[in-house]
Structure formats: C-alpha cells, structure tokens
C-alpha cells in the first residue's frame, strides 16, 4: 500500500498538472470506486482544481471556487497516472478526470477487488471525512510523539500503523522506521525511555524523508525498502539475516540483533489469539 512517502511524491508530481487547465469531463467512475453520489460527478465539469493536497495516505483535489473537493484513497492496489494529451490510457479506469487540453488523471486498480475510493465532497464534508486522522507523521517531533506514546499502552508496530493515532505510516514504513530506531516492533509504547522516544521521532522523520526523496526520483520498492520485503537478506547495519514474525493479520520484518537483543519474536497470529 502506498504510504506517506509514495503519496507525497505523487502529490508533488500532480500539483502543477491538475491545476493547469479546467476539468473538461469528470468520469467515468467504477460504481465500487466512487463512494458518493451527491453532488454528482458531473458538477466538476468546467471547474479548475487548485492543485493536489495530501492528508495522511489520501490525496485531496480542491476546486478553485472552494465549493468541492475530490478525495482519493488508493488502498492497496490503486494507482494514479497522469496521461499527456493523446497518450493512451486504460480502457476501463476506476476513475478518470479529463482536463481541457487533453491531459487525463486516471485511477486504475489491479485485481478484481475494488477497494480504492474516490469521494466528491463539499469542504465541510471532506473535513468531517478526515477528522478521525491523527497528526501527520512527517515532522511530528519527539514532544508530540512522547505524548502520543504515553496516551495508551500499545505495541509499537500496530501503533505506528494506526491512522487515528499518526497519519501516513503503514506496514512497510513501520518496518523501516522501527529498524532505523533500533526498537522492537513489540515494544510497549508506555515503557519507552526518553532517549528511545527521541530515536523513534528521529527515525520517523529520517526514514519518511529518505523514502520521499527516493520515490520522487522514481525508485521502485527494491531500491527504497531496506527491511520490508527483505526476509533473509543481511541487515544493512549488522549483517544479521532479517527475520519475520506474524502479528495479528500482519507480517512484520525486523533484525533480531539490532532490534530485539538477539531474541526471536514469536508469532501472534489473530487465528491463534482467537482460539
Ligand atoms: Zn541488524
């Protein structure tokens, strides 16, 4: 799933092009992708977007007149593409905005499950839709992070991924951040020492910034992730093979030497917890 670095790189790339000319025609949209019906999609026709904004893992495209906002959430398999005038696009996009002059913004989704979503909202509705999100992960800082960690006792990996607590981090960047901070994915938020909170805050910023820089240059997953998707590969810091552990419905990757003092973590699958 695209997370903050991926979405922010997209936002920067789309900001200019989507505001260059007014929308000629909004749609078509797959019935499962478009989550709203009032106002109708056609009410975008003829309006100009101010550009691209981002909140957590979502992109927002407000209209210049301040009346409407297009919200896009790509989920796991959704992808956005900007097509130049005349460039051939997918036959059946999940969602499309055609601009005057011929450029198009298209959303596609691989596989049969349609999970990506597009919402056409008024600004007050968009605000309500996004109200549950926690503060942005990038630039959070040790002070604010310390308050968040102290507020409820949670294991770090699921806490970092919880969008209501911190917005923008998912499974991949949790793996990268916790490895960079040399903290166990199962460490308990309320039990961190002050220097560990500092390390975690620094790692959130440095890893997300590293990811953003790479994604802006068009780097793929292999060149971007160092821990995520690297099961069995040598840890870049100490050479120990990267291990994995199942936690609830997720697989977490970590270095047993850098992060857990040599301990191998035991699986805590949801199925076993329910038994
Ligand atoms: Zn290591």
């Amino acid at each position: 799933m695209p997370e903050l670095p991926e979405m922010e790189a997209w936002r920067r790339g789309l900001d200019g092009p989507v505001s260059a000319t007014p929308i000629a025609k909004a749609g078509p949209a797959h019935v499962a992708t478009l989550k709203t019906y009032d106002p109708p999609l056609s009410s975008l026709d003829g309006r100009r977007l101010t550009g691209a904004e981002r909140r957590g893992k979502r992109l927002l495209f407000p209209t210049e007149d301040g009346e409407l906002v297009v919200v896009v959430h790509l989920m796991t398999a959704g992808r956005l593409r900007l097509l130049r005038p005349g460039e051939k696009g997918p036959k059946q996009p999940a969602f499309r905005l055609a601009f005057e002059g011929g450029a198009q913004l298209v959303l596609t989704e691989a596989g049969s499950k349609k999970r990506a979503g597009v919402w056409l909202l008024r600004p007050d509705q968009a605000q309500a839709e996004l109200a549950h999100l926690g503060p942005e992960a990038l630039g959070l800082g040790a002070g604010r992070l310390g308050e968040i960690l102290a507020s409820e006792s949670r294991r770090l990996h699921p806490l970092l991924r919880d969008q209501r607590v911190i917005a923008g981090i998912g499974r991949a960047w949790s793996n990268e951040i916790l490895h960079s901070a040399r903290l166990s994915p199962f460490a308990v938020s309320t039990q961190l020492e002050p220097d560990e909170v500092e390390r975690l805050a620094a790692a959130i910023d440095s890893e997300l910034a590293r990811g953003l820089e790479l994604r802006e240059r068009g780097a793929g997953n292999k060149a971007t992730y160092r821990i995520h998707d690297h099961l069995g590969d040598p840890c870049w810091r100490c050479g120990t093979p990267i291990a994995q552990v199942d936690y609830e419905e997720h697989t977490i990757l970590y270095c047993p030497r850098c992060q857990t003092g040599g301990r191998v973590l035991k699986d805590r699958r949801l199925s076993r917890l329910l038994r």
Side-chain angles (χ1 to χ4, degrees):
M1 181 187 288
E3 301 174 27
L4 189 151
E6 292 73 35
M7 297 312 296
E8 179 60 20
W10 258 322
R11 186 200 71 74
R12 293 181 184 187
L14 292 174
D15 190 44
V18 298
S19 56
T21 55
I23 294 166
K25 186 175 176 353
H30 192 283
V31 64
T33 305
L34 186 64
K35 309 291 188 189
T36 54
Y37 57 89
D38 182 30
L41 211 48
S42 60
S43 57
L44 279 171
D45 297 355
R47 295 185 203 240
R48 188 191 281 252
L49 301 173
T50 56
E53 298 173 6
R54 183 189 55 77
R55 182 72 176 92
K57 301 178 192 172
R58 291 166 178 78
L59 289 182
L60 283 65
F61 303 96
T63 59
E64 206 173 46
D65 54 24
E67 291 182 3
L68 297 168
V69 185
V70 181
V71 178
V72 176
H73 194 339
L74 298 175
M75 299 301 290
T76 307
R79 294 294 178 265
L80 280 173
R81 266 182 74 195
L82 190 79
L83 304 175
R84 291 183 302 271
E87 193 177 347
K88 259 215 154 132
K91 275 209 185 86
Q92 291 181 310
F95 176 71
R96 179 169 62 196
L97 288 179
F99 296 94
E100 286 177 17
Q104 295 181 63
L105 179 68
V106 295
L107 168 63
T108 56
E109 191 169 18
S112 54
K113 276 192 194 139
K114 296 289 172 233
R115 296 181 62 215
V118 173
W119 293 255
L120 179 59
L121 303 167
R122 294 188 304 271
D124 59 315
Q125 293 174 312
Q127 213 173 6
E129 182 73 31
L130 304 172
H132 68 286
L133 294 173
E136 286 291 314
L138 192 57
L140 192 60
R144 188 82 193 271
L145 179 65
E147 290 169 16
I148 290 169
L149 295 173
S151 67
E152 56 177 324
S153 179
R154 303 264 306 268
R155 295 191 186 277
L156 290 183
H157 202 282
L159 181 146
L160 287 179
R161 291 194 320 258
D162 187 340
Q163 302 306 297
R164 292 166 301 175
V165 178
I166 300 170
I169 301 171
R171 200 162 62 90
W173 287 103
S174 286
N175 287 336
E176 300 295 325
I177 288 165
L178 289 171
H179 178 273
S180 175
R182 287 176 282 119
L183 290 168
S184 167
F186 287 179
V188 175
S189 60
T190 48
Q191 295 172 5
L192 294 194
E193 299 293 334
D195 66 308
E196 293 176 320
V197 176
E198 295 270 353
R199 266 189 356 239
L200 184 55
I204 290 172
D205 272 348
S206 64
E207 282 302 304
L208 295 179
R210 183 178 71 79
L212 173 56
E213 195 196 319
L214 286 164
R215 295 302 196 184
E216 275 202 279
R217 285 192 272 147
N221 290 349
K222 259 229 137 55
T224 303
Y225 300 135
R226 301 189 287 188
I227 306 299
H228 185 71
D229 279 345
H230 281 276
L231 177 65
D233 291 348
C235 164
W236 57 264
R237 194 188 281 127
C238 75
T240 302
I242 298 301
Q244 73 174 31
V245 60
D246 285 336
Y247 183 79
E248 296 177 347
E249 77 278 31
H250 293 284
T251 299
I252 295 169
L253 284 98
Y254 69 102
C255 170
R257 183 160 174 197
C258 292
Q259 291 176 257
T260 56
R263 271 180 303 118
V264 171
L265 298 174
K266 292 211 181 76
D267 286 352
R268 294 165 187 240
R269 278 192 212 93
L270 203 55
S271 56
R272 187 186 295 171
L273 295 175
L274 292 173
R275 227 174 265 155

